[in-house]
Amino acid sequence: MAIETAAPASPRLFPLHALAAGLDFERYFRWRRAREGDPFYVRFPGFGAVLFTGTPDGARELFRAPTDLLEPPRPNPIEPLVGPASLILTSGVRHRRDRALLAPAFHGARIRALGELIQAATLDEIDGGATLWRPHTTAPWRARATTPWRPGTRIDSRAVARSITLRVIMEAVFGVRAGERRIAYAAAITAFLTAFSGPLLLAPALRRGAFGRAPWDRFVAAREHLDRLIQADLAERKGTARQDDCDILGLLLSTRYDDGSAPTDAELGDQLRTLLVAGHETTATSLVWALYHLHRAPEALRRLRAELGDAGDSPTDLAGLPYLDAVCQETLRLHPPVPIVLRRVTGPVTLRGVRVPVGDTMGLALPLLHSDPDTWVDAARFRPERFLDRRYSPFELAPYGGGHRRCVGASLADYELRIVLATLLRRVRLALPSRYARGRAPLSVPHNIATGPHRSIPFDVVE
């Protein structure tokens, strides 16, 4: 029987603590643990206190806690983005049932079938494929060709990463390849994500309308527009979808629960919106960080280029490269797309010897877990070789969460990151401007469903 210890103190003046966490999440969490030990409490406005851990033992306890005693915390800051029926927010029997519905879409064969699409999307972006623009704020979104990546061109890494991953997820989910429908979806998704600003994510009190002019009004209008597109596709495909359809929409429409029932259109809409949002923003952020660190580590970049030069051209060949895999894992260690894992407890649970009261929330701080000194040597340094030396347990490395709620799309995210990164590095040579090539890495801040650099990182195309 575990011995319970006294609960750590909850911070006073918590609005100041929340502000400090928002300005520099990782530094704040390290300061809190150094001051309070592990576990420690953090409070968020409108959310309450969360008991955090950042150790492998704590991760094991959290991921192995009885599933019937855990659920997603509410109110949840991302619920306006993904919807109440999203797999991210459901629990219990409902979560197991919906996960079983979605899981076949991410089986190995289906993921590998997307390899050529991922390569084509990357090459199209390099060659100056179509992107979206808006002449003025009231005009409709349009498509136009971008500048090919020739020597002397400066690229916006966040914009191009999002463009590539958005194209991939649109085709993977809806089979959208080109034309007006692709433009409409890309515009709607971009407007939807842009409208959900940091203040709306972090301050629920701002989620109120004001005669159609408040940020919340603009977000709701963008969400409704995206939902109309999704529901139109659902209506069009009903009755014709098959389980062997190439896109996820066809699979979901043709799948039934064990009792023979099917999800409602509203429930499917929330799942599809979740896939669209989470399925491209997180991978795009990881790609930006991978390029950034590689171009600040010349030896790692040289070694990866040499490995890519000796490899075959097929996505399967590229995805299996050991050093490429190590680079991607090291990127995710340093920058997990969603840096905290939260569980609300509905029964008696302890975390690191501290009893978590029913109704309270416990959490895992991944930046702390991924820099634990007992596991990671020289943890602040980008050193992919550490993943060639040994394998790490899911309680030491958990960039996609863990346990029964591990990200259902993790396999697609991993595969896509490797193929896009390999394709970019084989086709073009990039360089960081001097401002970014030296000095401290940019802060990581919330961007919709993920966290990423607080400003985009530019790259110059070189000979």
Side-chain angles (χ1 to χ4, degrees):
M1 182 175 178
I3 299 176
E4 293 187 12
T5 60
S10 182
R12 300 177 180 178
L13 301 174
F14 76 88
L16 295 180
H17 285 257
L19 177 62
L23 292 175
D24 192 338
F25 175 86
E26 294 185 18
R27 177 178 291 184
Y28 172 78
F29 268 58
R30 290 191 176 96
W31 173 76
R32 285 291 297 163
R33 185 164 72 173
R35 181 183 175 91
E36 303 292 340
D38 191 293
F40 57 93
Y41 271 109
V42 174
R43 293 186 66 188
F44 298 101
F47 191 81
V50 179
L51 182 67
F52 273 103
T53 183
T55 68
D57 288 341
R60 181 180 289 103
E61 291 178 19
L62 188 145
F63 291 150
R64 288 185 171 175
T67 59
D68 58 342
L69 301 181
L70 305 175
E71 64 182 18
R74 296 291 180 90
N76 200 292
I78 66 168
E79 184 169 340
L81 276 174
V82 299
S86 167
L87 183 68
I88 295 175
L89 301 183
T90 55
S91 59
V93 173
R94 173 68 180 276
H95 181 265
R96 290 193 293 273
R97 185 181 70 163
D98 288 346
R99 190 176 181 94
L101 186 77
L102 286 168
F106 300 99
H107 284 172
R110 279 186 170 268
I111 296 302
R112 290 190 296 274
L114 296 173
E116 292 185 2
L117 161 66
I118 296 168
Q119 282 184 319
T122 308
L123 293 172
D124 188 55
E125 187 68 30
I126 294 170
D127 294 336
T131 190
L132 293 169
W133 68 295
R134 212 172 188 176
H136 49 83
T137 56
T138 59
W141 291 81
R142 302 176 185 176
R144 69 177 178 190
T146 57
T147 303
W149 294 20
R150 298 192 180 98
T153 304
R154 175 163 289 189
I155 64 165
D156 179 329
S157 62
R158 184 160 62 198
V160 300
R162 285 175 172 173
S163 178
I164 294 168
T165 59
L166 181 55
R167 174 174 166 177
V168 171
I169 200 63
M170 284 193 297
E171 184 162 341
V173 174
F174 292 108
V176 175
R177 294 178 182 272
E180 293 300 319
R181 186 159 159 265
R182 174 181 162 189
I183 295 170
Y185 260 116
I189 295 167
T190 302
F192 171 65
L193 291 175
T194 301
F196 199 66
S197 59
L200 289 180
L201 174 69
L202 299 173
L206 297 178
R207 298 174 190 172
R208 292 183 173 85
F211 308 104
R213 297 181 178 275
W216 179 248
D217 293 313
R218 291 191 288 273
F219 168 73
V220 170
R223 183 176 61 189
E224 290 175 348
H225 176 58
L226 176 58
D227 284 347
R228 284 193 294 271
L229 291 176
I230 293 173
Q231 292 302 322
D233 261 331
L234 285 171
E236 182 180 341
R237 295 281 297 279
K238 272 186 176 180
T240 64
R242 297 158 47 94
Q243 285 205 348
D244 58 357
D245 282 347
C246 293
D247 57 39
I248 294 174
L249 174 58
L251 177 66
L252 294 183
L253 282 172
S254 61
T255 303
R256 296 293 180 266
Y257 294 126
D258 290 342
D259 62 2
S261 64
T264 66
D265 287 356
E267 291 168 343
L268 280 176
D270 282 358
Q271 304 297 6
L272 292 167
R273 185 159 15 98
T274 299
L275 293 174
L276 289 172
V277 173
H280 89 281
E281 183 79 6
T282 53
T283 306
T285 299
S286 298
L287 178 61
V288 170
W289 282 123
L291 290 170
Y292 171 80
H293 284 291
L294 280 169
H295 288 84
R296 284 167 54 104
E299 180 55 30
L301 181 58
R302 183 205 63 76
R303 182 170 179 176
L304 180 54
R305 284 193 183 279
E307 182 182 68
L308 293 172
D310 294 335
D313 294 329
S314 76
T316 303
D317 291 337
L318 297 175
L321 296 175
Y323 196 69
L324 174 64
D325 177 74
V327 165
C328 293
Q329 291 201 64
E330 179 72 339
T331 300
L332 291 167
R333 179 187 73 83
L334 287 170
H335 304 285
V338 180
I340 58 176
V341 176
L342 300 176
R343 302 283 190 268
R344 183 177 180 269
V345 305
T346 61
V349 172
T350 61
L351 181 66
R352 302 286 288 149
V354 175
R355 183 177 62 85
V356 184
V358 173
D360 278 11
T361 302
M362 60 181 181
L364 175 64
L366 294 180
L368 298 181
L369 178 69
H370 292 177
S371 60
D372 184 82
D374 293 334
T375 305
W376 309 99
V377 177
D378 198 9
R381 183 182 167 204
F382 178 77
R383 195 174 69 83
E385 291 74 16
R386 71 177 84 240
F387 287 94
L388 302 176
D389 299 337
R390 60 165 285 193
R391 295 179 65 87
Y392 295 88
S393 80
F395 310 118
E396 296 169 321
L397 181 74
Y400 300 111
H404 73 295
R405 303 193 69 91
R406 186 175 185 269
C407 174
V408 71
S411 57
L412 173 57
D414 271 342
Y415 188 69
E416 185 177 6
L417 177 60
R418 284 151 180 74
I419 302 305
V420 176
L421 182 60
T423 305
L424 284 175
L425 294 178
R426 291 179 71 153
R427 174 60 81 88
V428 296
R429 292 190 176 270
L430 302 172
L432 280 169
S434 57
R435 173 184 177 184
Y436 294 89
R438 295 178 294 275
R440 185 180 175 188
L443 295 179
S444 188
V445 299
H447 290 290
N448 304 308
I449 204 167
T451 59
H454 75 291
R455 65 168 67 94
S456 183
I457 300 172
F459 286 85
D460 293 323
V461 182
V462 296
E463 294 284 357

